[in-house]
Amino acid sequence: MGKLTFVTGNKAYSSWSLRPWLALKHCGTAFEEIVVPLYVPGYKEKLLAHSVAGKVPVLKHDAHVIWDSLAICEYLAEQFPESRLWPDNPLARAEARSVSAEMHSGFPVIRQAMPFNCRATGRHVPRTAELETEIARVQMIWRSCRERYGQHGPWLFGDFSIADAMYIPVTLRFVTYGVALDAIGRNYLETVQAHAPVRDWIASAKQETAVIESSEVGRVA
């Protein structure tokens, strides 16, 4: 099908890169991976060499470029239909697309208060009412999906889907910042932590030496 190249930021910090990377791994296809450390001298020029957006992630398919996380996932779903990255049932598929789009465009308080840092644990940040509302909404989504589709498997819609790729980074955020989860949330977290690609990503993140100070919040002195 031609050459696939995936451009990612630091694995410790780039939640947007993790999402389509998980979809790529689920497809089981070979791809070249290029890691561009972010917020260091010259990083923007390196990214602009791959995409006019100058951001990660980027998927290059031969000479074609896709530069948005959800767009990359959608492209992979079309290119690898056998991977079933969306549920087969039309109504479940519409719901999976809805919760994925909500994550793609929403939860700004979680993103700001709890920067993605998958190699860190034991972090603590102020828990404002706005933050608690967004955390509750995430768990509400998980609970609704698992109660309706859990009989088909351990993921949000039974089988692994783009919805899981979109929500796994926030799951790892909850680990970093010690968010207490309800029973369904804890079970989903266990599924995420046992997933081999997630474990591989975190292992690679722990090998990185670069530090982005703005993402190193909540450290205990």
Side-chain angles (χ1 to χ4, degrees):
M1 65 167 294
K3 181 181 178 181
L4 289 172
T5 303
F6 185 70
V7 184
T8 170
N10 313 56
K11 291 191 171 182
Y13 303 116
S14 185
S15 61
W16 289 113
S17 298
L18 173 56
R19 293 178 167 102
W21 185 89
L22 288 168
L24 268 169
K25 295 299 258 187
H26 182 73
C27 292
T29 187
F31 62 95
E32 178 187 0
E33 186 173 320
I34 299 174
V35 179
V36 178
L38 304 177
Y39 307 114
V40 297
Y43 88 96
K44 181 62 74 172
E45 290 74 16
K46 290 180 180 179
L47 292 179
L48 287 169
H50 295 289
S51 163
V52 293
K55 297 180 179 180
V56 290
V58 178
L59 179 67
K60 301 168 79 172
H61 186 182
D62 291 332
H64 303 283
V65 179
I66 307 100
W67 61 89
D68 171 85
S69 292
L70 191 51
I72 293 171
C73 290
E74 289 277 14
Y75 183 73
L76 293 171
E78 294 170 350
Q79 294 297 308
F80 300 94
E82 69 280 2
S83 295
R84 300 175 62 242
L85 278 168
W86 289 122
D88 293 331
N89 179 277
L91 292 177
R93 187 163 62 248
E95 186 174 351
R97 280 195 162 107
S98 294
V99 299
S100 296
E102 184 173 350
M103 174 52 69
H104 191 259
S105 61
F107 303 102
V109 180
I110 289 178
R111 298 186 201 284
Q112 182 175 11
M114 297 178 164
F116 185 74
N117 187 349
C118 67
R119 67 185 177 192
T121 57
R123 301 298 175 91
H124 301 279
V125 296
R127 299 285 286 272
T128 65
E130 293 80 5
L131 180 58
E132 294 290 358
T133 296
E134 290 194 359
I135 291 172
R137 174 56 186 156
V138 170
Q139 292 200 77
M140 184 187 302
I141 290 170
W142 292 352
R143 186 162 53 251
S144 175
C145 293
R146 294 297 300 139
E147 287 175 349
R148 296 178 64 181
Y149 304 104
Q151 71 273 21
H152 302 302
W155 297 101
L156 292 178
F157 290 84
D159 295 325
F160 183 90
S161 73
I162 290 170
D164 297 293
M166 295 301 292
Y167 278 83
I168 282 172
V170 78
T171 311
L172 299 180
R173 274 182 162 97
F174 290 168
V175 173
T176 298
Y177 298 98
V179 175
L181 303 175
D182 60 25
I184 289 176
R186 290 194 300 271
N187 288 338
Y188 184 61
L189 171 59
E190 290 176 1
T191 296
V192 168
Q193 291 181 313
H195 192 46
V198 172
R199 295 167 70 92
D200 290 344
W201 179 278
I202 294 173
S204 295
K206 289 180 177 179
Q207 295 298 313
E208 295 176 343
T209 58
V211 174
I212 298 176
E213 287 295 339
S214 61
S215 294
E216 294 289 341
V217 305
R219 284 176 289 199
V220 177

